Amino acid sequence: MARKIKETPILSGKDAKNFDRELQANKSKKVSSSDLKRAKSTFDRIWIASDLG
């Protein structure tokens, strides 16, 4: 029997401020096209090897 998934806790206080600051700092960062192609290629190989592909 599977375990129940716990609810994600709500961030508050200092943790929420740190999370928001890091989110804003990383919002404009983009993944390079070569990294994106490599990730997609890896995903495609895993998908084909799985029973779902």
Side-chain angles (χ1 to χ4, degrees):
M1 179 182 252
R3 292 183 181 178
K4 288 186 177 181
I5 298 174
K6 294 180 183 179
E7 287 188 33
T8 302
I10 298 173
L11 293 177
S12 60
K14 188 177 178 181
D15 290 330
K17 289 178 183 177
N18 288 339
F19 179 80
D20 190 48
R21 184 177 53 245
E22 291 212 18
L23 182 66
Q24 296 303 320
N26 291 314
K27 217 172 202 178
S28 64
K29 292 184 179 179
K30 302 290 180 187
V31 176
S32 70
S33 61
S34 63
D35 285 344
L36 184 61
K37 285 179 186 176
R38 187 170 48 113
K40 181 158 176 19
S41 172
T42 302
F43 171 80
D44 289 342
R45 285 185 291 152
I46 293 170
W47 183 258
I48 290 169
S50 74
D51 291 335
L52 302 173

